[in-house]
mmCIF file of all heavy atoms in Angstrom:
data_model
loop_
_atom_site.group_PDB
_atom_site.id
_atom_site.type_symbol
_atom_site.label_atom_id
_atom_site.label_comp_id
_atom_site.label_asym_id
_atom_site.label_seq_id
_atom_site.Cartn_x
_atom_site.Cartn_y
_atom_site.Cartn_z
ATOM 1 N N ARG B 133 -37.472 -2.041 33.997
ATOM 2 C CA ARG B 133 -36.760 -3.310 33.791
ATOM 3 C C ARG B 133 -37.637 -4.489 34.107
ATOM 4 O O ARG B 133 -37.138 -5.590 34.386
ATOM 5 C CB ARG B 133 -35.525 -3.345 34.675
ATOM 6 C CG ARG B 133 -34.451 -2.326 34.267
ATOM 7 C CD ARG B 133 -33.166 -2.557 35.016
ATOM 8 N NE ARG B 133 -32.262 -1.414 34.939
ATOM 9 C CZ ARG B 133 -31.363 -1.245 33.975
ATOM 10 N NH1 ARG B 133 -31.234 -2.115 33.027
ATOM 11 N NH2 ARG B 133 -30.587 -0.180 33.990
ATOM 12 N N THR B 134 -38.945 -4.306 34.112
ATOM 13 C CA THR B 134 -39.824 -5.444 34.338
ATOM 14 C C THR B 134 -39.839 -6.302 33.087
ATOM 15 O O THR B 134 -40.297 -5.869 32.029
ATOM 16 C CB THR B 134 -41.272 -4.974 34.623
ATOM 17 O OG1 THR B 134 -41.191 -3.858 35.511
ATOM 18 C CG2 THR B 134 -42.079 -6.105 35.232
ATOM 19 N N PRO B 135 -39.288 -7.520 33.180
ATOM 20 C CA PRO B 135 -39.188 -8.328 31.967
ATOM 21 C C PRO B 135 -40.554 -8.760 31.451
ATOM 22 O O PRO B 135 -41.485 -8.947 32.228
ATOM 23 C CB PRO B 135 -38.351 -9.526 32.416
ATOM 24 C CG PRO B 135 -38.238 -9.451 33.885
ATOM 25 C CD PRO B 135 -38.807 -8.182 34.379
ATOM 26 N N ILE B 136 -40.612 -8.875 30.160
ATOM 27 C CA ILE B 136 -41.826 -9.398 29.538
ATOM 28 C C ILE B 136 -41.583 -10.891 29.321
ATOM 29 O O ILE B 136 -40.567 -11.291 28.735
ATOM 30 C CB ILE B 136 -42.093 -8.701 28.189
ATOM 31 C CG1 ILE B 136 -42.138 -7.180 28.398
ATOM 32 C CG2 ILE B 136 -43.361 -9.214 27.547
ATOM 33 C CD1 ILE B 136 -41.957 -6.378 27.128
ATOM 34 N N ASP B 137 -42.503 -11.707 29.823
ATOM 35 C CA ASP B 137 -42.339 -13.155 29.729
ATOM 36 C C ASP B 137 -43.249 -13.689 28.632
ATOM 37 O O ASP B 137 -44.476 -13.670 28.755
ATOM 38 C CB ASP B 137 -42.676 -13.791 31.077
ATOM 39 C CG ASP B 137 -42.356 -15.281 31.076
ATOM 40 O OD1 ASP B 137 -42.375 -15.893 29.992
ATOM 41 O OD2 ASP B 137 -42.084 -15.829 32.158
ATOM 42 N N ILE B 138 -42.671 -14.107 27.524
ATOM 43 C CA ILE B 138 -43.487 -14.675 26.450
ATOM 44 C C ILE B 138 -43.182 -16.161 26.385
ATOM 45 O O ILE B 138 -42.170 -16.571 25.814
ATOM 46 C CB ILE B 138 -43.215 -14.009 25.100
ATOM 47 C CG1 ILE B 138 -43.460 -12.505 25.208
ATOM 48 C CG2 ILE B 138 -44.068 -14.620 24.001
ATOM 49 C CD1 ILE B 138 -43.131 -11.732 23.946
ATOM 50 N N GLY B 139 -44.038 -16.950 26.963
ATOM 51 C CA GLY B 139 -43.865 -18.401 26.924
ATOM 52 C C GLY B 139 -42.527 -18.850 27.459
ATOM 53 O O GLY B 139 -41.898 -19.763 26.907
ATOM 54 N N GLY B 140 -42.076 -18.215 28.512
ATOM 55 C CA GLY B 140 -40.806 -18.658 29.116
ATOM 56 C C GLY B 140 -39.611 -17.934 28.571
ATOM 57 O O GLY B 140 -38.511 -18.049 29.108
ATOM 58 N N VAL B 141 -39.797 -17.178 27.481
ATOM 59 C CA VAL B 141 -38.675 -16.386 26.961
ATOM 60 C C VAL B 141 -38.762 -15.007 27.576
ATOM 61 O O VAL B 141 -39.790 -14.338 27.502
ATOM 62 C CB VAL B 141 -38.741 -16.302 25.418
ATOM 63 C CG1 VAL B 141 -37.593 -15.480 24.900
ATOM 64 C CG2 VAL B 141 -38.757 -17.697 24.821
ATOM 65 N N ILE B 142 -37.649 -14.599 28.216
ATOM 66 C CA ILE B 142 -37.657 -13.308 28.913
ATOM 67 C C ILE B 142 -37.163 -12.215 27.972
ATOM 68 O O ILE B 142 -36.087 -12.311 27.402
ATOM 69 C CB ILE B 142 -36.694 -13.358 30.132
ATOM 70 C CG1 ILE B 142 -37.040 -14.543 31.033
ATOM 71 C CG2 ILE B 142 -36.718 -12.041 30.889
ATOM 72 C CD1 ILE B 142 -38.383 -14.450 31.682
ATOM 73 N N ILE B 143 -37.995 -11.219 27.830
ATOM 74 C CA ILE B 143 -37.573 -10.077 26.995
ATOM 75 C C ILE B 143 -37.542 -8.823 27.852
ATOM 76 O O ILE B 143 -38.544 -8.415 28.426
ATOM 77 C CB ILE B 143 -38.534 -9.884 25.809
ATOM 78 C CG1 ILE B 143 -38.561 -11.131 24.928
ATOM 79 C CG2 ILE B 143 -38.111 -8.665 24.979
ATOM 80 C CD1 ILE B 143 -39.526 -11.058 23.781
ATOM 81 N N GLN B 144 -36.379 -8.190 27.914
ATOM 82 C CA GLN B 144 -36.262 -6.914 28.595
ATOM 83 C C GLN B 144 -36.911 -5.836 27.727
ATOM 84 O O GLN B 144 -36.702 -5.821 26.509
ATOM 85 C CB GLN B 144 -34.777 -6.557 28.810
ATOM 86 C CG GLN B 144 -34.083 -7.369 29.872
ATOM 87 C CD GLN B 144 -34.559 -7.006 31.269
ATOM 88 O OE1 GLN B 144 -35.078 -5.915 31.502
ATOM 89 N NE2 GLN B 144 -34.411 -7.949 32.189
ATOM 90 N N PRO B 145 -37.705 -4.944 28.328
ATOM 91 C CA PRO B 145 -38.326 -3.881 27.504
ATOM 92 C C PRO B 145 -37.271 -3.115 26.694
ATOM 93 O O PRO B 145 -37.545 -2.701 25.566
ATOM 94 C CB PRO B 145 -38.987 -2.964 28.538
ATOM 95 C CG PRO B 145 -39.149 -3.790 29.752
ATOM 96 C CD PRO B 145 -38.074 -4.839 29.735
ATOM 97 N N GLN B 146 -36.076 -2.958 27.241
ATOM 98 C CA GLN B 146 -35.045 -2.205 26.547
ATOM 99 C C GLN B 146 -34.654 -2.868 25.220
ATOM 100 O O GLN B 146 -34.275 -2.202 24.266
ATOM 101 C CB GLN B 146 -33.813 -2.046 27.453
ATOM 102 C CG GLN B 146 -32.774 -1.076 26.967
ATOM 103 C CD GLN B 146 -33.253 0.382 26.982
ATOM 104 O OE1 GLN B 146 -34.214 0.719 27.656
ATOM 105 N NE2 GLN B 146 -32.593 1.230 26.230
ATOM 106 N N TYR B 147 -34.744 -4.218 25.187
ATOM 107 C CA TYR B 147 -34.455 -4.912 23.922
ATOM 108 C C TYR B 147 -35.355 -4.383 22.813
ATOM 109 O O TYR B 147 -34.928 -4.187 21.675
ATOM 110 C CB TYR B 147 -34.720 -6.428 24.053
ATOM 111 C CG TYR B 147 -33.772 -7.173 24.954
ATOM 112 C CD1 TYR B 147 -32.771 -6.520 25.672
ATOM 113 C CD2 TYR B 147 -33.868 -8.556 25.056
ATOM 114 C CE1 TYR B 147 -31.918 -7.239 26.501
ATOM 115 C CE2 TYR B 147 -33.006 -9.280 25.866
ATOM 116 C CZ TYR B 147 -32.032 -8.614 26.602
ATOM 117 O OH TYR B 147 -31.210 -9.300 27.395
ATOM 118 N N LEU B 148 -36.624 -4.168 23.186
ATOM 119 C CA LEU B 148 -37.576 -3.712 22.176
ATOM 120 C C LEU B 148 -37.223 -2.298 21.716
ATOM 121 O O LEU B 148 -37.371 -1.956 20.533
ATOM 122 C CB LEU B 148 -39.012 -3.737 22.737
ATOM 123 C CG LEU B 148 -39.496 -5.120 23.165
ATOM 124 C CD1 LEU B 148 -40.907 -5.044 23.743
ATOM 125 C CD2 LEU B 148 -39.463 -6.093 21.976
ATOM 126 N N TRP B 149 -36.723 -1.494 22.659
ATOM 127 C CA TRP B 149 -36.273 -0.152 22.279
ATOM 128 C C TRP B 149 -35.141 -0.224 21.274
ATOM 129 O O TRP B 149 -35.128 0.497 20.279
ATOM 130 C CB TRP B 149 -35.817 0.632 23.506
ATOM 131 C CG TRP B 149 -36.960 1.258 24.256
ATOM 132 C CD1 TRP B 149 -37.456 0.850 25.466
ATOM 133 C CD2 TRP B 149 -37.737 2.378 23.869
ATOM 134 N NE1 TRP B 149 -38.503 1.653 25.849
ATOM 135 C CE2 TRP B 149 -38.695 2.616 24.876
ATOM 136 C CE3 TRP B 149 -37.718 3.211 22.745
ATOM 137 C CZ2 TRP B 149 -39.619 3.638 24.817
ATOM 138 C CZ3 TRP B 149 -38.649 4.233 22.684
ATOM 139 C CH2 TRP B 149 -39.584 4.443 23.700
ATOM 140 N N VAL B 150 -34.176 -1.099 21.537
ATOM 141 C CA VAL B 150 -33.023 -1.235 20.630
ATOM 142 C C VAL B 150 -33.490 -1.588 19.213
ATOM 143 O O VAL B 150 -33.139 -0.945 18.230
ATOM 144 C CB VAL B 150 -32.028 -2.291 21.146
ATOM 145 C CG1 VAL B 150 -30.947 -2.557 20.114
ATOM 146 C CG2 VAL B 150 -31.402 -1.837 22.462
ATOM 147 N N ILE B 151 -34.343 -2.638 19.172
ATOM 148 C CA ILE B 151 -34.787 -3.086 17.862
ATOM 149 C C ILE B 151 -35.679 -2.013 17.200
ATOM 150 O O ILE B 151 -35.579 -1.764 15.997
ATOM 151 C CB ILE B 151 -35.507 -4.438 17.990
ATOM 152 C CG1 ILE B 151 -34.452 -5.478 18.390
ATOM 153 C CG2 ILE B 151 -36.201 -4.834 16.696
ATOM 154 C CD1 ILE B 151 -34.984 -6.841 18.685
ATOM 155 N N GLY B 152 -36.488 -1.372 18.035
ATOM 156 C CA GLY B 152 -37.339 -0.296 17.516
ATOM 157 C C GLY B 152 -36.518 0.834 16.908
ATOM 158 O O GLY B 152 -36.844 1.339 15.838
ATOM 159 N N PHE B 153 -35.405 1.182 17.578
ATOM 160 C CA PHE B 153 -34.570 2.251 17.041
ATOM 161 C C PHE B 153 -33.898 1.829 15.740
ATOM 162 O O PHE B 153 -33.729 2.654 14.827
ATOM 163 C CB PHE B 153 -33.511 2.691 18.064
ATOM 164 C CG PHE B 153 -34.030 3.746 19.001
ATOM 165 C CD1 PHE B 153 -34.105 3.525 20.356
ATOM 166 C CD2 PHE B 153 -34.465 4.975 18.504
ATOM 167 C CE1 PHE B 153 -34.590 4.498 21.207
ATOM 168 C CE2 PHE B 153 -34.959 5.949 19.348
ATOM 169 C CZ PHE B 153 -35.022 5.701 20.700
ATOM 170 N N LEU B 154 -33.502 0.576 15.657
ATOM 171 C CA LEU B 154 -32.909 0.101 14.397
ATOM 172 C C LEU B 154 -33.913 0.246 13.260
ATOM 173 O O LEU B 154 -33.590 0.737 12.179
ATOM 174 C CB LEU B 154 -32.444 -1.356 14.500
ATOM 175 C CG LEU B 154 -31.954 -1.948 13.182
ATOM 176 C CD1 LEU B 154 -30.721 -1.237 12.662
ATOM 177 C CD2 LEU B 154 -31.661 -3.439 13.310
ATOM 178 N N VAL B 155 -35.161 -0.153 13.545
ATOM 179 C CA VAL B 155 -36.222 -0.038 12.526
ATOM 180 C C VAL B 155 -36.401 1.447 12.161
ATOM 181 O O VAL B 155 -36.473 1.797 10.980
ATOM 182 C CB VAL B 155 -37.543 -0.653 13.024
ATOM 183 C CG1 VAL B 155 -38.663 -0.359 12.044
ATOM 184 C CG2 VAL B 155 -37.379 -2.142 13.216
ATOM 185 N N ALA B 156 -36.437 2.289 13.192
ATOM 186 C CA ALA B 156 -36.662 3.720 12.942
ATOM 187 C C ALA B 156 -35.516 4.298 12.089
ATOM 188 O O ALA B 156 -35.759 5.066 11.138
ATOM 189 C CB ALA B 156 -36.762 4.470 14.255
ATOM 190 N N VAL B 157 -34.276 3.909 12.433
ATOM 191 C CA VAL B 157 -33.120 4.406 11.665
ATOM 192 C C VAL B 157 -33.204 3.931 10.215
ATOM 193 O O VAL B 157 -32.994 4.707 9.274
ATOM 194 C CB VAL B 157 -31.799 3.928 12.322
ATOM 195 C CG1 VAL B 157 -30.640 4.069 11.348
ATOM 196 C CG2 VAL B 157 -31.516 4.710 13.588
ATOM 197 N N ALA B 158 -33.569 2.657 10.040
ATOM 198 C CA ALA B 158 -33.645 2.102 8.682
ATOM 199 C C ALA B 158 -34.733 2.804 7.879
ATOM 200 O O ALA B 158 -34.505 3.214 6.729
ATOM 201 C CB ALA B 158 -33.915 0.605 8.733
ATOM 202 N N VAL B 159 -35.894 2.984 8.477
ATOM 203 C CA VAL B 159 -36.996 3.649 7.765
ATOM 204 C C VAL B 159 -36.630 5.106 7.487
ATOM 205 O O VAL B 159 -36.800 5.594 6.364
ATOM 206 C CB VAL B 159 -38.307 3.574 8.592
ATOM 207 C CG1 VAL B 159 -39.384 4.448 7.959
ATOM 208 C CG2 VAL B 159 -38.795 2.130 8.673
ATOM 209 N N GLY B 160 -36.073 5.765 8.492
ATOM 210 C CA GLY B 160 -35.695 7.170 8.340
ATOM 211 C C GLY B 160 -34.682 7.351 7.209
ATOM 212 O O GLY B 160 -34.844 8.231 6.359
ATOM 213 N N LEU B 161 -33.672 6.497 7.189
ATOM 214 C CA LEU B 161 -32.637 6.646 6.149
ATOM 215 C C LEU B 161 -33.195 6.296 4.776
ATOM 216 O O LEU B 161 -32.819 6.920 3.772
ATOM 217 C CB LEU B 161 -31.435 5.748 6.472
ATOM 218 C CG LEU B 161 -30.524 6.243 7.595
ATOM 219 C CD1 LEU B 161 -29.376 5.266 7.806
ATOM 220 C CD2 LEU B 161 -29.965 7.623 7.277
ATOM 221 N N THR B 162 -34.088 5.314 4.726
ATOM 222 C CA THR B 162 -34.699 4.975 3.435
ATOM 223 C C THR B 162 -35.413 6.188 2.867
ATOM 224 O O THR B 162 -35.240 6.547 1.697
ATOM 225 C CB THR B 162 -35.729 3.829 3.609
ATOM 226 O OG1 THR B 162 -35.071 2.744 4.227
ATOM 227 C CG2 THR B 162 -36.267 3.387 2.265
ATOM 228 N N LEU B 163 -36.201 6.817 3.722
ATOM 229 C CA LEU B 163 -36.942 8.006 3.261
ATOM 230 C C LEU B 163 -35.952 9.105 2.881
ATOM 231 O O LEU B 163 -36.100 9.764 1.855
ATOM 232 C CB LEU B 163 -37.894 8.497 4.344
ATOM 233 C CG LEU B 163 -39.057 7.562 4.652
ATOM 234 C CD1 LEU B 163 -39.920 8.103 5.795
ATOM 235 C CD2 LEU B 163 -39.909 7.353 3.406
ATOM 236 N N PHE B 164 -34.943 9.291 3.719
ATOM 237 C CA PHE B 164 -33.977 10.347 3.466
ATOM 238 C C PHE B 164 -33.254 10.159 2.131
ATOM 239 O O PHE B 164 -33.191 11.075 1.313
ATOM 240 C CB PHE B 164 -32.957 10.420 4.607
ATOM 241 C CG PHE B 164 -31.870 11.433 4.403
ATOM 242 C CD1 PHE B 164 -32.162 12.793 4.409
ATOM 243 C CD2 PHE B 164 -30.559 11.046 4.196
ATOM 244 C CE1 PHE B 164 -31.177 13.741 4.210
ATOM 245 C CE2 PHE B 164 -29.556 11.982 4.005
ATOM 246 C CZ PHE B 164 -29.864 13.332 4.006
ATOM 247 N N PHE B 165 -32.747 8.957 1.896
ATOM 248 C CA PHE B 165 -31.959 8.737 0.672
ATOM 249 C C PHE B 165 -32.813 8.626 -0.584
ATOM 250 O O PHE B 165 -32.338 8.913 -1.667
ATOM 251 C CB PHE B 165 -31.081 7.488 0.804
ATOM 252 C CG PHE B 165 -29.870 7.697 1.665
ATOM 253 C CD1 PHE B 165 -29.677 6.963 2.825
ATOM 254 C CD2 PHE B 165 -28.917 8.633 1.323
ATOM 255 C CE1 PHE B 165 -28.574 7.157 3.632
ATOM 256 C CE2 PHE B 165 -27.810 8.856 2.119
ATOM 257 C CZ PHE B 165 -27.634 8.121 3.261
ATOM 258 N N ASN B 166 -34.061 8.201 -0.424
ATOM 259 C CA ASN B 166 -34.881 7.994 -1.624
ATOM 260 C C ASN B 166 -35.864 9.118 -1.912
ATOM 261 O O ASN B 166 -36.355 9.255 -3.012
ATOM 262 C CB ASN B 166 -35.659 6.687 -1.527
ATOM 263 C CG ASN B 166 -34.723 5.489 -1.562
ATOM 264 O OD1 ASN B 166 -33.739 5.500 -2.290
ATOM 265 N ND2 ASN B 166 -35.024 4.483 -0.773
ATOM 266 N N ARG B 167 -36.178 9.911 -0.880
ATOM 267 C CA ARG B 167 -37.253 10.893 -1.070
ATOM 268 C C ARG B 167 -36.809 12.339 -1.000
ATOM 269 O O ARG B 167 -37.518 13.222 -1.433
ATOM 270 C CB ARG B 167 -38.358 10.658 -0.023
ATOM 271 C CG ARG B 167 -39.069 9.334 -0.116
ATOM 272 C CD ARG B 167 -40.057 9.360 -1.275
ATOM 273 N NE ARG B 167 -40.506 8.012 -1.611
ATOM 274 C CZ ARG B 167 -41.464 7.382 -0.944
ATOM 275 N NH1 ARG B 167 -42.072 7.983 0.052
ATOM 276 N NH2 ARG B 167 -41.819 6.156 -1.285
ATOM 277 N N THR B 168 -35.659 12.603 -0.358
ATOM 278 C CA THR B 168 -35.278 14.015 -0.218
ATOM 279 C C THR B 168 -34.151 14.341 -1.187
ATOM 280 O O THR B 168 -33.306 13.488 -1.492
ATOM 281 C CB THR B 168 -34.825 14.340 1.214
ATOM 282 O OG1 THR B 168 -33.551 13.744 1.438
ATOM 283 C CG2 THR B 168 -35.809 13.817 2.240
ATOM 284 N N ILE B 169 -34.120 15.583 -1.644
ATOM 285 C CA ILE B 169 -33.106 16.001 -2.585
ATOM 286 C C ILE B 169 -31.713 15.951 -1.937
ATOM 287 O O ILE B 169 -30.730 15.596 -2.564
ATOM 288 C CB ILE B 169 -33.416 17.413 -3.149
ATOM 289 C CG1 ILE B 169 -32.516 17.734 -4.346
ATOM 290 C CG2 ILE B 169 -33.269 18.498 -2.091
ATOM 291 C CD1 ILE B 169 -32.921 17.069 -5.629
ATOM 292 N N LEU B 170 -31.656 16.250 -0.624
ATOM 293 C CA LEU B 170 -30.398 16.213 0.085
ATOM 294 C C LEU B 170 -29.856 14.771 0.167
ATOM 295 O O LEU B 170 -28.664 14.528 -0.056
ATOM 296 C CB LEU B 170 -30.596 16.775 1.499
ATOM 297 C CG LEU B 170 -29.363 17.349 2.177
ATOM 298 C CD1 LEU B 170 -28.741 18.455 1.349
ATOM 299 C CD2 LEU B 170 -29.723 17.858 3.584
ATOM 300 N N GLY B 171 -30.759 13.854 0.455
ATOM 301 C CA GLY B 171 -30.361 12.434 0.514
ATOM 302 C C GLY B 171 -29.888 11.957 -0.836
ATOM 303 O O GLY B 171 -28.884 11.261 -0.960
ATOM 304 N N LYS B 172 -30.601 12.366 -1.888
ATOM 305 C CA LYS B 172 -30.197 11.954 -3.223
ATOM 306 C C LYS B 172 -28.866 12.587 -3.595
ATOM 307 O O LYS B 172 -28.049 11.970 -4.271
ATOM 308 C CB LYS B 172 -31.282 12.361 -4.233
ATOM 309 C CG LYS B 172 -32.532 11.497 -4.142
ATOM 310 C CD LYS B 172 -33.595 11.963 -5.113
ATOM 311 C CE LYS B 172 -34.896 11.216 -4.857
ATOM 312 N NZ LYS B 172 -35.977 11.678 -5.757
ATOM 313 N N ALA B 173 -28.646 13.826 -3.157
ATOM 314 C CA ALA B 173 -27.380 14.483 -3.440
ATOM 315 C C ALA B 173 -26.224 13.740 -2.773
ATOM 316 O O ALA B 173 -25.144 13.609 -3.350
ATOM 317 C CB ALA B 173 -27.420 15.949 -2.981
ATOM 318 N N MET B 174 -26.467 13.245 -1.557
ATOM 319 C CA MET B 174 -25.442 12.438 -0.903
ATOM 320 C C MET B 174 -25.150 11.185 -1.711
ATOM 321 O O MET B 174 -24.008 10.785 -1.903
ATOM 322 C CB MET B 174 -25.885 12.059 0.503
ATOM 323 C CG MET B 174 -25.408 13.027 1.561
ATOM 324 S SD MET B 174 -25.995 12.542 3.189
ATOM 325 C CE MET B 174 -24.636 11.545 3.733
ATOM 326 N N GLY B 175 -26.225 10.545 -2.164
ATOM 327 C CA GLY B 175 -26.069 9.373 -2.996
ATOM 328 C C GLY B 175 -25.313 9.684 -4.288
ATOM 329 O O GLY B 175 -24.487 8.901 -4.755
ATOM 330 N N ALA B 176 -25.568 10.868 -4.812
ATOM 331 C CA ALA B 176 -24.914 11.277 -6.060
ATOM 332 C C ALA B 176 -23.394 11.398 -5.852
ATOM 333 O O ALA B 176 -22.626 11.028 -6.736
ATOM 334 C CB ALA B 176 -25.501 12.606 -6.552
ATOM 335 N N CYS B 177 -22.993 11.912 -4.702
ATOM 336 C CA CYS B 177 -21.551 12.029 -4.418
ATOM 337 C C CYS B 177 -20.911 10.648 -4.377
ATOM 338 O O CYS B 177 -19.779 10.464 -4.839
ATOM 339 C CB CYS B 177 -21.316 12.687 -3.060
ATOM 340 S SG CYS B 177 -21.693 14.424 -3.086
#
Side-chain angles (χ1 to χ4, degrees):
Chain B
R133 292 190 196 271
T134 318
I136 305 161
D137 186 334
I138 303 176
V141 180
I142 306 295
I143 300 177
Q144 287 290 337
Q146 191 68 18
Y147 291 4
L148 299 178
W149 278 107
V150 172
I151 292 175
F153 274 118
L154 174 63
V155 172
V157 164
V159 171
L161 285 180
T162 305
L163 293 177
F164 177 68
F165 284 119
N166 293 323
R167 296 283 166 82
T168 72
I169 192 77
L170 204 58
K172 287 177 188 178
M174 267 179 92
C177 289

